[in-house]
């Protein structure tokens, strides 16, 4: 059997970003405003700093306004909640994202609950989780949105596929299950207590790994021809002492068996920020009660 085709997340993310830029242009011309995204970072975790910087850069590249707030690591919960209350009220801010994880003294649930659901571009608020679950218009978490678009690169219509998602987190596994149901897949969510995980994985026409265990999914777990989406981002030490990023799927083995597969890096990762930009435009349009600009139709 021939090797899997590689689903290029970087290229797809660039296309999505270009569509966002065109959509923002249209909003400016027709409605006289540009969407704004506020990103709040508490503390100085180096990885979070990089994410926040990239999000700001991509937001302005797409023609939107970016507001960044870097708060000290000892910021109290009340101070953060006050900041969120101000952003909820600001007419220039259409999307609010609080970078996780938060320092120990802050309860992340209270923080997420405080964000106006219509500005919750991460889609983590319970109102948005509920809207998604019952099929109402919602702001949906960015990573699962990206996974669906990547899978559709391999097969435009996912109807009827047997989909297995490994991982049941609120930010990836569970919302992705809802999205794949909406795409008419037959969905199984597997997790750390699943019996005979390799056997469950082998049922999948569409296999998504969102676990956080380097190369957990072996080639022998994959049904020949399956679409494999690897959400995992794991930093592992190489023999020469340098670190490298690997996914939750053993890529070298998997590409011998799968029909299509996302690489790490360059797969799901770039799509997450692209979908954040889409969500910011969606949130702005929802708040202003105007239709989504044409360049974003279908997203
Ligand atoms: P999480 O820790 O919240 O959830 C992991 C899930 O995996 C849990 O539901 C658990 O039941 C399951 N699990 C753990 N060990 C398992 C095992 N041995 N077998 C089967 N299932 C097991 O993680 P998360 O936030 O959903 O993230 C998962 C991975 O995806 C991480 O590597 C994370 O870095 C990555 N991630 C990437 C992006 C991106 O933009 N590419 C976004 C979010 C998360």
């Amino acid at each position: 059997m021939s090797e899997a085709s590689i689903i290029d997340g970087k290229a797809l993310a660039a296309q999505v970003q270009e569509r966002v830029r065109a959509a923002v242009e249209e909003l400016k011309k027709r409605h006289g405003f540009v969407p704004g995204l506020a990103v709040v970072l508490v503390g100085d975790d180096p990885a979070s700093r990089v994410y926040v910087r990239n999000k700001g850069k991509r937001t302005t590249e797409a023609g939107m306004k970016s507001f960044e707030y870097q708060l000290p690591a000892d910021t109290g919960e009340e101070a953060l909640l006050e900041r969120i209350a101000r952003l909820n009220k600001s007419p220039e801010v259409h999307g609010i994202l609080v970078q996780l994880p938060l320092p120990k003294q802050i309860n992340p649930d209270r923080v997420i609950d405080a964000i106006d659901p219509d500005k919750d571009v991460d889609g983590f608020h319970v109102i948005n989780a509920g809207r998604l679950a019952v099929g109402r218009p919602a702001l949906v978490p960015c990573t699962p949105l990206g996974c669906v678009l990547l899978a559709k690169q391999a097969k435009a219509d996912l109807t009827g596929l047997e989909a297995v998602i490994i991982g049941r987190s609120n930010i990836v596994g569970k919302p992705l299950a809802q999205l794949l149901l909406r795409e008419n897949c037959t969905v199984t969510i597997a997790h750390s207590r699943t019996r005979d995980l390799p056997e469950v994985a082998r049922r999948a026409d569409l296999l998504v790994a969102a676990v956080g265990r380097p190369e957990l999914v072996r080639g022998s777990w994959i049904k020949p021809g399956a679409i494999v989406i690897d959400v995992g981002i794991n930093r592992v030490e190489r023999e020469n002492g340098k670190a490298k990023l690997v996914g939750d799927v053993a890529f070298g083995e998997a590409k011998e068996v799968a029909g299509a597969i996302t690489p790490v890096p360059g797969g799901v990762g770039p799509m997450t920020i692209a979908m954040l930009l889409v969500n910011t435009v969606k949130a702005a349009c929802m708040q202003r009660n105007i239709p989504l600009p044409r360049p974003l139709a279908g997203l």
Side-chain angles (χ1 to χ4, degrees):
M1 204 174 156
S2 60
E3 268 197 6
S5 61
I6 309 298
I7 308 171
D8 186 344
K10 229 172 139 183
L12 183 59
Q15 284 173 28
V16 171
Q17 164 129 1
E18 178 48 34
R19 288 170 69 179
V20 171
R21 204 197 50 72
V24 170
E25 200 61 30
E26 196 174 306
L27 286 177
K28 204 153 78 181
K29 267 202 212 115
R30 290 194 176 199
H31 301 280
F33 83 104
V34 295
L37 172 66
V39 180
V40 183
L41 171 66
V42 185
D44 42 23
D45 175 64
S48 294
R49 265 175 185 274
V50 174
Y51 291 143
V52 167
R53 200 178 327 122
N54 285 342
K55 284 169 187 168
K57 187 166 162 263
R58 301 276 290 281
T59 304
T60 46
E61 278 169 7
M64 296 191 279
K65 285 187 196 155
S66 166
F67 305 92
E68 277 178 48
Y69 300 91
Q70 305 227 1
L71 309 181
D74 60 358
T75 300
E77 192 173 282
E78 287 311 316
L80 179 56
L81 293 177
E82 271 168 35
R83 165 66 58 197
I84 290 170
R86 280 207 290 277
L87 295 173
N88 282 342
K89 284 203 200 103
S90 167
E92 282 200 304
V93 171
H94 303 91
I96 303 170
L97 179 154
V98 178
Q99 185 67 43
L100 301 178
L102 287 163
K104 281 189 291 296
Q105 73 276 16
I106 300 177
N107 176 346
D109 287 344
R110 282 199 67 197
V111 172
I112 293 167
D113 288 352
I115 298 172
D116 177 345
D118 292 342
K119 294 191 175 185
D120 166 41
V121 281
D122 254 341
F124 294 164
H125 197 290
V126 288
I127 294 279
N128 279 315
R131 286 172 177 161
L132 174 64
V134 297
R136 293 211 201 151
L139 289 167
V140 177
C142 306
T143 301
L145 282 174
C147 291
V148 173
L149 285 192
L150 287 163
K152 285 184 163 180
Q153 289 288 103
K155 196 171 193 304
D157 183 1
L158 306 177
T159 297
L161 294 191
E162 201 61 68
V164 174
I165 302 162
I166 313 178
R168 55 177 160 184
S169 72
N170 290 332
I171 64 171
V172 189
K174 282 187 214 159
L176 180 58
Q178 300 289 359
L179 289 176
L180 291 177
L181 276 178
R182 209 197 255 180
E183 297 293 331
N184 304 311
C185 293
T186 303
V187 181
T188 302
I189 305 183
H191 47 78
S192 51
R193 306 292 182 90
T194 295
R195 265 187 290 136
D196 202 352
L197 187 57
E199 197 49 48
V200 174
R202 269 191 291 271
R203 296 207 300 254
D205 305 308
L206 168 57
L207 179 64
V208 183
V211 185
R213 299 273 181 281
E215 303 184 329
L216 174 81
V217 176
R218 312 308 310 187
S220 61
W221 296 24
I222 293 167
K223 179 175 176 175
I227 303 167
V228 178
I229 308 291
D230 189 352
V231 183
I233 301 176
N234 308 290
R235 194 170 290 277
V236 296
E237 288 282 310
R238 277 195 295 207
E239 275 155 25
N240 63 10
K242 287 202 177 138
K244 70 164 184 170
L245 288 185
V246 299
D248 290 343
V249 178
F251 184 80
E253 294 174 16
K255 77 175 187 338
E256 301 294 326
V257 193
I261 185 167
T262 59
V264 177
V268 175
M271 285 303 290
T272 297
I273 298 189
M275 299 320 291
L276 173 68
L277 303 179
V278 173
N279 273 355
T280 305
V281 176
K282 275 190 186 167
C285 293
M286 267 159 44
Q287 286 156 45
R288 292 203 157 215
N289 210 10
I290 54 179
L292 199 61
R294 277 163 309 172
L296 293 187
L299 283 183

